Amino acid sequence: MTAALTGRDGVWSLTAHAPNVNVGRLINAVGYSDVKGDVSATDVSLTMAFGGDGVALSLSFNTAFGSNAVKMGLYAARKSSGTTVWRVLFFGNLTLDGKALPLGGNLLSANQISINLALTYLKGEKKAIAEAFGASSETNAARKVLDSLPDSIPERVSFAADIKGAAVAAANANAPQGPGGGAARAEPAPAEPAAADADGLTWSTLNKRFGPLSIDRIGYGALKQKAGGASEQTGRLSVDGGLNLGPLKFTLLGLGVDATFPSFTIKPRLEGLGLNVKRGPVSISGSLLIKDGVYAGSAQVTTAKFSLGAVGRLDLTRGRPSFFLYCVAAASLGGPPAFFVRGLAGGMGYDTRLILPDVKKVKDFPLLTAIQTGDLDTRAFDAVVQPATDSLWFAAGVRFSTFAMMESSVVVTLSLGAKTEIDLFGLSEITVPPLPPGAPGVIAKITIAIRGKLDAEKSEAWIRGQIVPGSFVFDPGCRLSGEFGFKVWFGGGRKGDFYATVGGFHPKFLPPPPYDHFQRLRLEWRPTNALSIRGSAYQAITSRAIRA
């Protein structure tokens, strides 16, 4: 052990360093005999400086127990001129051998978990704190705390942590031996800094399994304060994971606690819960997301002959409740060959409105894709169902096949609010011959998206269609494209006017402003590098002329 006392310009500094200290024997010597064995601390450093207008203390050490390693440090400074200001930073790095944990055994024998954490009590200016601790900020977490500080810091307690899981190679006879006789563990590389989410949390991905328990990721950080909010600071620890019990699976999202300082209030929280049960041909699944007074969820029951699903949201944050619910049933309900029903859908929304797509985005409209694929993604519905006071909407849909060659889905919506509208969305796919997707031998595959509207305020009705990219005839390289449409006015100054077109209008025809523009019906094919085939066509009928 070495020690040194130095002084200069009225400031004295005492430094002590010990390469190895048997902490276990020291604890036994003061009367705590329950601590057994040698617990050593290495590279122990203590520095104390005093004089002038303040005092500073620095302590750091490393220790190990078995194949686990700990590195800790404490830095404190007090400025005593005028008012007393404490600046304290505690940091630690803990590397755990999965096999040594209580849940260990062979389950965790190849897992190593590294935890970097920092706890700070701050009051003062960021520059002064950085000067006090900058040279000693050795861990990711310590640097993260300092980097995240605002320029002016109110009195508060803050917390930051980095939690990382890493794969560890199995020990072999040539591996160097670490403390306790175990294989030496390399220091994990620092984790890449993750961007904070909208709440101010930083997420670390783990994807670890501990028997039936799984931990997917851990989030931590100080929540963002609203403008004019209270002076208290809230820290959050959140975990996403699950529990697998054979045919029964639970999913937990945002399970954790909120800790508010300096009042030190603790509030448990859960953002989401999922359930999945599968037994033979029967599968039941559901999820519920809870955040700031908004409840969103979905549920689905699937059997060998049919499936039922629903998605919805309830919002209690706007003074009065707003909600929507959309249900889908998939089953062979029967009908004539030209209209064989394979599924139904229906829903409604109160104090909400639908964000309706144009014809180019119809194929991705959640109300339509849900009846096609059964996908009930709450995030997709959140993007198209928005809060709107005094608005009401209804939706109904059907999925059917025509002579086993064409599969179609149609959804009709009725919107009641500032104005009344009826909208139509459709998607049809023709396959010749009717083979499964990806099967060879298909000579034609054409997908058509349809968008329509009945607008009572404008006294007009229209339908617009588009050949979806990827459609072909004869050969997958023989591509089809183009649009078609129909529009009629049943009131106002243009009452009786109409047009119907496939591929648009004549190039020299200048349509009046209410007429829309349509892409030509085109065919493009390049069977060889030396041969290219292209063609286009149109047909248009208006209330005054026929053109082709």
Side-chain angles (χ1 to χ4, degrees):
M1 178 176 179
T2 60
L5 176 66
T6 59
R8 181 178 180 181
D9 298 329
V11 177
W12 292 89
S13 176
L14 175 63
T15 301
H17 178 266
N20 190 293
V21 176
N22 194 315
V23 181
R25 292 181 181 178
L26 290 177
I27 296 175
N28 294 155
V30 296
Y32 292 93
S33 58
D34 293 336
V35 178
K36 305 296 184 182
D38 292 339
V39 180
S40 298
T42 61
D43 197 19
V44 180
S45 296
L46 173 66
T47 301
M48 184 174 182
F50 50 91
D53 62 353
V55 60
L57 175 69
S58 169
L59 171 66
S60 66
F61 65 90
N62 302 328
T63 188
F65 51 98
S67 55
N68 305 305
V70 179
K71 182 176 182 179
M72 294 187 179
L74 173 67
Y75 302 91
R78 187 184 73 169
K79 187 175 182 181
S80 58
S81 63
T83 60
T84 300
V85 178
W86 280 100
R87 306 184 184 100
V88 181
L89 170 65
F90 165 80
F91 81 87
N93 176 273
L94 175 62
T95 302
L96 299 177
D97 180 5
K99 192 173 182 178
L101 294 176
L103 289 175
N106 294 328
L107 282 175
L108 301 178
S109 61
N111 289 333
Q112 183 186 65
I113 300 176
S114 176
I115 303 175
N116 289 321
L117 60 89
L119 178 66
T120 61
Y121 179 83
L122 306 166
K123 185 176 181 181
E125 298 296 321
K126 178 178 179 179
K127 181 178 179 182
I129 295 173
E131 289 176 354
F133 301 136
S136 304
S137 302
E138 299 180 8
T139 70
N140 271 351
R143 285 196 298 269
K144 184 174 294 185
V145 169
L146 291 176
D147 292 342
S148 66
L149 298 180
D151 291 335
S152 180
I153 303 162
E155 183 174 349
R156 69 177 186 180
V157 175
S158 63
F159 171 82
D162 288 332
I163 304 176
K164 177 181 58 178
V168 179
N172 54 58
N174 298 323
Q177 297 296 302
R185 304 284 179 168
E187 182 76 13
E192 292 294 329
D197 63 10
D199 293 327
L201 297 187
T202 300
W203 289 90
S204 295
T205 301
L206 295 181
N207 290 328
K208 296 299 179 184
R209 300 292 181 266
F210 307 95
L213 180 66
S214 65
I215 300 179
D216 299 328
R217 60 175 189 162
I218 295 180
Y220 47 86
L223 298 185
K224 294 181 178 179
Q225 289 181 301
K226 298 180 180 179
S231 59
E232 290 189 327
Q233 181 75 31
T234 300
R236 175 172 294 176
L237 178 65
S238 191
V239 178
D240 288 352
L243 184 64
N244 190 340
L245 302 174
L248 180 62
K249 297 181 181 179
F250 291 96
T251 301
L252 299 175
L253 300 178
L255 175 65
V257 295
D258 286 352
T260 303
F261 300 100
S263 63
F264 293 98
T265 58
I266 304 296
K267 180 181 178 182
R269 62 190 311 277
L270 177 63
E271 286 190 359
L273 176 66
L275 171 67
N276 186 289
V277 181
K278 185 174 179 61
R279 176 69 71 179
V282 179
S283 173
I284 302 174
S285 61
S287 64
L288 176 65
L289 302 178
I290 310 168
K291 188 171 183 180
D292 301 329
V294 178
Y295 301 80
S298 63
Q300 192 159 17
V301 179
T302 303
T303 70
K305 294 185 178 181
F306 69 90
S307 68
L308 298 173
V311 61
R313 184 183 68 210
L314 173 63
D315 188 343
L316 302 177
T317 63
R318 303 173 58 243
R320 65 179 190 179
S322 66
F323 74 92
F324 82 86
L325 179 66
Y326 191 72
C327 304
V328 174
S332 296
L333 302 178
F339 192 82
F340 190 89
V341 178
R342 298 184 179 275
L344 297 173
M348 67 168 293
Y350 172 75
D351 261 10
T352 60
R353 67 184 182 94
L354 293 171
I355 307 299
L356 304 177
D358 59 22
V359 68
K360 295 180 180 179
K361 298 180 180 179
V362 162
K363 62 183 179 64
D364 299 319
F365 189 43
L367 275 69
L368 192 62
T369 58
I371 194 174
Q372 286 184 300
T373 64
D375 185 11
L376 297 170
D377 187 351
T378 56
R379 292 170 297 181
F381 277 83
D382 285 344
V384 299
V385 183
Q386 299 293 322
T389 303
D390 296 328
S391 294
L392 183 67
W393 61 266
F394 300 90
V398 60
R399 179 188 175 197
F400 62 94
S401 63
T402 303
F403 300 111
M405 290 195 304
M406 182 170 69
E407 293 285 340
S408 303
S409 299
V410 177
V411 172
V412 178
T413 65
L414 169 63
S415 300
L416 304 173
K419 58 181 181 179
T420 300
E421 294 180 348
I422 298 177
D423 294 271
L424 179 143
F425 309 89
L427 199 65
S428 294
E429 183 176 286
I430 305 170
T431 304
V432 181
L435 298 174
V442 176
I443 62 174
K445 183 178 179 180
I446 303 173
T447 305
I448 300 174
I450 299 175
R451 171 78 165 88
K453 179 186 286 290
L454 173 62
D455 192 331
E457 182 178 347
K458 295 182 179 180
S459 300
E460 65 181 32
W462 54 266
I463 291 178
R464 186 183 185 106
Q466 180 191 53
I467 298 177
V468 176
S471 300
F472 67 90
V473 293
F474 306 128
D475 181 85
C478 185
R479 300 292 181 175
L480 287 179
S481 62
E483 295 179 326
F484 61 90
F486 168 81
K487 194 169 189 177
V488 61
W489 287 264
F490 51 84
R494 303 193 67 88
K495 183 177 181 179
D497 194 5
F498 76 93
Y499 68 78
T501 178
V502 176
F505 302 97
H506 190 278
K508 294 184 179 181
F509 174 66
L510 298 177
Y515 283 38
D516 299 311
H517 174 74
F518 295 88
Q519 296 179 3
R520 281 285 186 267
L521 184 63
R522 299 183 184 279
L523 180 147
E524 297 185 16
W525 188 21
R526 190 165 186 171
T528 67
N529 292 333
L531 178 62
S532 178
I533 301 174
R534 296 182 180 179
S536 64
Y538 79 94
Q539 173 72 51
I541 302 175
T542 71
S543 57
R544 298 178 178 84
I546 299 177
R547 296 178 175 87

